[in-house]
Amino acid sequence: MNALQTALGNEHAAVYGYGVLAVHLVGAQRDAAKNAFDTHRARRDILIGLIEAQGDKPVAAAPAYAIPFPVTTAADAVRLATQLEERLGASYADIVQSSSGDTRRTGVEWLTDAAVRAVRWRGSSVAFPGLPERN
Amino acid sequence: MLGVTGVALLSACGSPADTKDSGNPPNSVPKPVPAGKRDPVRDRALSAEAELLKRYDATLALASVSADSGLTAKLTAIRAEHAAHAEAIQQGYTPPSAPTPSSPPGSPTPSASATTWSPQATTDAKTALAALAGAEQDAASARTADILGSDGAIAMLLASIAASESGHAALLLGGTA
């Protein structure tokens, strides 16, 4: 599967995941989750457009996703949000590597955005966002 | 994940424990530069990292920062990530006369920064952090042209470093989710 399709699959999952986790948050964290939900929905739509422009059929969202651990508290929600952003970062790093021009520029911007969101959820940074084998 | 129907939420790149599948493609390591040959892209990246390392050393030496153990720990951790960036950029790169991008971790050398940037000894921590955040963001932005103009693997490494620097800026400015 090419990098755009993998990223789209991860954006579908992120939209689902933020929908699940947002209800466990309050205040500024809830707002951040809603903002992320909207952002990832918009990116999903942009990716669908990019993939269709290549003449490919965009991968569809799954009807449901298995959450990797029970999300019942704010701490669970923050942990899941962090993991969603980390996974998206890896997808966008792959897009940077495998594309050029405007698509690569988009990959850089979205990798950065995922890294910043992950830092805010996690409260700490990593040296190599999107490159899990290096961290 | 037992007994739950549906696609695993974090499956697209493998589960977190599944390091074999969670990484990037096997060709993701930048190709070595032939020994003795200069690479302007790596030189620029190394010099930017060296500059950031100096700034962290100078900031860590400030009285307002060293008095705060939590802040010192935070800045030391970020500094270590810059040292890791420099090391990653240097992998497979042996230019004619190797640049020395970093002083050894844990040995702040505030005098080394005098040539380029030097906070006043009385600078308060908040001002110093804002200056560091600005430097991180500038370094991240300055990489864009090299990212767009380089081979895939080095472009991916530089993009990750730029993303890390933007994350540092967010952390320094105290943004919370």
Side-chain angles (χ1 to χ4, degrees):
Chain A
M1 191 169 9
N2 78 35
L4 290 176
Q5 294 276 25
T6 302
L8 175 57
N10 283 337
E11 289 290 6
H12 282 313
V15 169
Y16 182 92
Y18 272 106
V20 168
L21 70 87
V23 300
H24 299 285
L25 299 172
V26 294
Q29 288 193 320
R30 179 91 175 245
D31 292 343
K34 281 184 182 164
N35 175 287
F37 178 85
D38 291 342
T39 299
H40 291 302
R41 224 168 29 170
R43 291 204 180 139
R44 174 197 66 190
D45 295 342
I46 292 169
L47 284 166
I48 288 172
L50 288 173
I51 292 164
E52 284 175 345
Q54 290 180 336
D56 293 330
K57 188 172 179 294
V59 294
Y65 291 84
I67 307 293
F69 47 83
V71 177
T72 56
T73 64
D76 297 335
V78 166
R79 187 169 146 227
L80 181 60
T82 305
Q83 292 186 11
L84 289 171
E85 297 296 346
E86 288 173 345
R87 208 49 57 111
L88 286 164
S91 311
Y92 292 124
D94 287 345
I95 288 178
V96 169
Q97 185 187 22
S98 61
S99 68
S100 59
D102 286 344
T103 304
R104 179 178 281 184
R105 188 187 291 274
T106 299
V108 175
E109 286 171 8
W110 293 1
L111 167 57
T112 295
D113 182 78
V116 170
R117 286 179 199 271
V119 161
R120 292 191 169 138
W121 288 124
R122 204 192 290 116
S124 61
S125 55
V126 297
F128 299 102
L131 308 181
E133 72 278 15
R134 284 187 184 268
N135 286 317
Chain B
M1 277 178 254
L2 289 176
V4 184
T5 54
V7 176
L9 190 68
L10 299 170
S11 67
C13 289
S15 67
D18 190 357
T19 49
K20 261 184 198 159
D21 288 341
S22 67
N24 302 95
N27 56 344
S28 64
V29 176
K31 280 191 202 113
V33 177
K37 198 169 170 245
R38 282 221 163 273
D39 175 10
V41 170
R42 282 178 176 76
D43 284 346
R44 276 193 288 277
L46 286 170
S47 112
E49 291 298 337
E51 176 67 18
L52 285 165
L53 285 165
K54 283 183 194 169
R55 281 176 174 263
Y56 275 88
D57 288 342
T59 305
L60 280 161
L62 290 172
S64 57
V65 173
S66 60
D68 182 336
S69 61
L71 185 53
T72 297
K74 185 173 174 177
L75 295 186
T76 303
I78 298 177
R79 188 198 184 281
E81 293 181 1
H82 285 296
H85 293 166
E87 197 182 319
I89 296 160
Q90 244 170 348
Q91 258 171 26
Y93 183 44
T94 45
S97 61
T100 50
S102 64
S103 51
S107 63
T109 51
S111 61
S113 70
T115 51
T116 48
W117 179 82
S118 171
Q120 296 292 315
T122 53
T123 302
D124 65 278
K126 196 179 170 192
T127 305
L129 291 193
L132 277 181
E136 292 273 9
Q137 206 53 70
D138 288 349
S141 307
R143 296 189 196 291
T144 306
D146 280 338
I147 293 168
L148 294 178
S150 298
D151 285 349
I154 189 78
M156 183 167 71
L157 175 61
L158 294 177
S160 174
I161 291 172
S164 170
E165 288 163 348
S166 293
H168 292 163
L171 198 56
L172 292 166
L173 295 174
T176 51

